[in-house]
Amino acid sequence: ILNVEQSPQSLHVQEGDSTNFTCSFPSSNFYALHWYRWETAKSPEALFVMTLNGDEKKKGRISATLNTKEGYSYLYIKGSQPEDSATYLCAFSYGGSQGNLIFGKGTKLSVKP
Amino acid sequence: EPEVTQTPSHQVTQMGQEVILRCVPISNHLYFYWYRQILGQKVEFLVSFYNNEISEKSEIFDDQFSVERPDGSNFTLKIRSTKLEDSAMYFCASNPVRASGGQPQHFGDGTRLSIL
């Protein structure tokens, strides 16, 4: 069974704090790792797609790293702002699939002003 | 920026009734997906669709479910005889290619399906 785990489940930080979350996924038959940002009543918004071991990607204050050998990815947010409050989902796709994504449960981030 | 659109945003249906959820994927995309999220659980893959046929489906996608692309723009999910456990948020997604090689999937806002 292919399983994706995310931790922590929820996180409360103060504005200006930096934070990070973890996504664990199967290390065998890896194809790609996706990070999405999801606000309530909106569509999940793609942040990053990473495919290579050691990949690091950055978008403004948000960055992500990937370790396919040990099966984990970290998402970092530097200097959190209230507008960063959302659920951050990671999803894994595997070789041989038609691109379907296997999701973790998400990390719900709340940033207090 | 092009978007995936889903209608309705909320659907309330009696148990046993048929329901059709509608999606308009981004126009030049070729791969289409349905996912669902039961409240408090993970987003789960249901089905992928390419070249006018199902390319992959999960165990959840049993005979009660079907998908169709009737007119080249809409992509529909039909549940033939709804059960209480079908209550969930249903997401449609599309891709220009398979979700690989650095291409994210593009999601709609979802349809919240409530079965009474």
Side-chain angles (χ1 to χ4, degrees):
Chain A
I1 294 176
L2 298 172
N3 195 33
V4 175
E5 296 292 340
Q6 289 187 249
S7 62
Q9 196 172 333
S10 65
L11 198 51
H12 298 264
V13 302
Q14 287 294 132
E15 183 175 355
D17 288 349
S18 293
T19 187
N20 66 86
F21 335 126
T22 305
C23 172
S24 302
F25 54 86
S27 54
S28 60
N29 206 18
F30 173 85
Y31 211 101
L33 194 283
H34 299 235
W35 281 101
Y36 286 87
R37 180 176 180 276
W38 185 23
E39 289 183 67
T40 305
K42 293 188 179 180
S43 58
E45 173 200 347
L47 291 173
F48 306 113
V49 182
M50 295 184 287
T51 55
L52 299 176
N53 184 44
D55 250 355
E56 289 188 30
K57 295 216 171 177
K58 191 174 180 186
K59 191 175 183 178
R61 293 179 291 98
I62 306 177
S63 60
T65 61
L66 179 68
N67 183 323
T68 60
K69 292 188 190 305
E70 295 180 44
Y72 64 84
S73 174
Y74 295 133
L75 188 79
Y76 301 91
I77 302 178
K78 188 177 176 183
S80 303
Q81 299 296 308
E83 56 265 31
D84 295 329
S85 297
T87 296
Y88 290 83
L89 297 171
C90 84
F92 158 83
S93 65
Y94 54 95
S97 76
Q98 293 301 310
N100 75 71
L101 298 177
I102 299 169
F103 281 86
K105 214 168 177 183
T107 292
K108 186 171 183 179
L109 175 67
S110 300
V111 183
K112 287 187 181 177
Chain B
E1 188 175 326
E3 291 180 344
V4 175
T5 56
Q6 289 187 242
T7 54
S9 56
H10 191 189
Q11 173 83 45
V12 181
T13 301
Q14 291 286 333
M15 186 172 62
Q17 296 295 305
E18 176 182 285
V19 67
I20 298 176
L21 309 182
R22 300 181 194 280
C23 169
V24 179
I26 294 172
S27 63
N28 62 343
H29 284 190
L30 301 176
Y31 289 81
F32 313 112
Y33 306 85
W34 283 101
Y35 295 85
R36 77 173 186 191
Q37 188 197 32
I38 295 170
L39 193 62
Q41 297 186 23
K42 295 180 180 181
V43 175
E44 302 170 290
F45 166 73
L46 293 178
V47 66
S48 60
F49 192 87
Y50 170 69
N51 201 25
N52 280 321
E53 59 182 24
I54 290 173
S55 47
E56 193 168 11
K57 59 184 181 179
S58 71
E59 289 175 358
I60 303 166
F61 195 88
D62 62 21
D63 293 344
Q64 293 299 313
F65 291 88
S66 61
V67 288
E68 201 176 31
R69 189 156 158 80
D71 56 11
S73 63
N74 289 284
F75 178 51
T76 61
L77 175 70
K78 184 195 289 188
I79 309 175
R80 220 176 319 277
S81 175
T82 49
K83 308 188 211 43
L84 293 175
E85 55 265 35
D86 294 327
S87 295
M89 180 73 94
Y90 287 80
F91 289 102
C92 171
S94 72
N95 243 62
V97 295
R98 282 191 308 157
S100 61
Q103 294 290 330
Q105 287 187 7
H106 299 259
F107 284 82
D109 288 349
T111 293
R112 178 161 297 286
L113 178 63
S114 301
I115 307 299
L116 304 179

